Amino acid sequence: KNEVEQSPQNLTAQEGEFITINCSYSVGISALHWLQQHPGGGIVSLFMLSSGKKKHGRLIATINIQEKHSSLHITASHPRDSAVYICAVGNPSGSRLTFGEGTQLTVNP
Amino acid sequence: KAGVTQTPRYLIKTRGQQVTLSCSPISGHRSVSWYQQTPGQGLQFLFEYFSETQRNKGNFPGRFSGRQFSNSRSEMNVSTLELGDSALYLCASSLADPTDTQYFGPGTRLTVL
């Protein structure tokens, strides 16, 4: 079993739909990161959170430390949101990130 | 502020050769981490450098090595290339700690023939 698991692996949505991507982890963490990777490889850090909830534009990230679970929500999805979304956790000593396998999101117009 | 840069962007090598990849972090960032991304294994941690010292290393063979210079620029080297080394190699920089917000470079796509 991977230390970080994401679901779903693939997600197809229609423009305007509300999207949720889930991340569960089995180890202690210092913080959890949500990353976005567009075709071509570039990775952008969306959120880093260790508790509660953060919002940036149409993106919302939540984390439940007790349940070892985080969700990334996209409201009013748009085709430009099509990308791979990756969950990563930092270990408590702060020495490295461990990554989930990613969720491929496709938003159709 | 300029972002993280990586050179070269694309590289084709043959088995048995060696390769050196370069990463220039964001100015002021002292931590540089390297990752390998393949379709089968996803993103995997290679190593992390801080102030010219390797602080952490992932589970990769000794053919993979790196270093960091006094200006925080970093290089990674892969010797005796194997077909399975074909991957996207990403570096990321952060202020001090690899579990802080990381800023990724565009990657170097290495193809081993």
Side-chain angles (χ1 to χ4, degrees):
Chain A
K1 190 173 174 10
N2 293 333
E3 293 181 344
V4 182
E5 297 208 334
Q6 289 184 233
S7 63
Q9 283 190 304
N10 294 282
L11 182 55
T12 301
Q14 288 300 119
E15 184 174 356
E17 286 185 357
F18 181 85
I19 287 161
T20 296
I21 300 170
N22 296 299
C23 175
S24 296
Y25 53 92
S26 58
V27 295
I29 67 169
S30 57
L32 183 142
H33 301 249
W34 282 103
L35 311 171
Q36 179 192 57
Q37 185 172 29
H38 280 285
I43 293 179
V44 173
S45 179
L46 298 174
F47 296 103
M48 183 178 77
L49 62 166
S50 53
S51 66
K53 177 178 171 178
K54 288 191 176 180
K55 184 175 189 290
H56 185 238
R58 296 179 295 105
L59 273 58
I60 303 166
T62 64
I63 188 168
N64 184 317
I65 296 294
Q66 286 71 35
E67 294 187 4
K68 296 187 175 178
H69 181 270
S70 175
S71 294
L72 176 69
H73 305 286
I74 304 175
T75 61
S77 59
H78 190 276
R80 64 174 175 266
D81 297 326
S82 298
V84 176
Y85 292 83
I86 302 168
C87 169
V89 300
N91 63 349
S93 66
S95 63
R96 67 177 65 184
L97 292 179
T98 301
F99 300 86
E101 292 183 355
T103 295
Q104 173 69 63
L105 171 65
T106 302
V107 182
N108 294 318
Chain B
K1 201 185 255 191
V4 177
T5 59
Q6 290 186 245
T7 56
R9 293 292 310 279
Y10 302 91
L11 208 45
I12 299 175
K13 292 285 188 178
T14 56
R15 278 181 299 175
Q17 287 187 309
Q18 67 97 25
V19 66
T20 299
L21 312 181
S22 180
C23 172
S24 292
I26 290 173
S27 178
H29 285 191
R30 296 169 67 190
S31 171
V32 175
S33 298
W34 287 89
Y35 302 96
Q36 182 195 65
Q37 186 176 37
T38 59
Q41 299 294 320
L43 271 162
Q44 293 186 285
F45 172 75
L46 278 158
F47 27 65
E48 186 253 349
Y49 287 87
F50 180 87
S51 291
E52 302 179 66
T53 300
Q54 184 183 90
R55 289 198 296 192
N56 298 288
K57 191 175 195 308
N59 190 24
F60 279 82
R63 300 185 296 107
F64 291 82
S65 62
R67 58 179 175 167
Q68 186 181 36
F69 302 95
S70 59
N71 61 358
S72 292
R73 190 176 71 85
S74 178
E75 289 181 347
M76 69 163 281
N77 184 276
V78 188
S79 62
T80 319
L81 284 165
E82 300 177 359
L83 295 179
D85 297 333
S86 294
L88 180 67
Y89 290 88
L90 292 151
C91 84
S93 74
S94 58
L95 278 170
D97 189 319
T99 59
D100 291 335
T101 296
Q102 294 213 312
Y103 296 83
F104 286 80
T108 295
R109 188 163 297 279
L110 171 65
T111 302
V112 182
L113 303 176

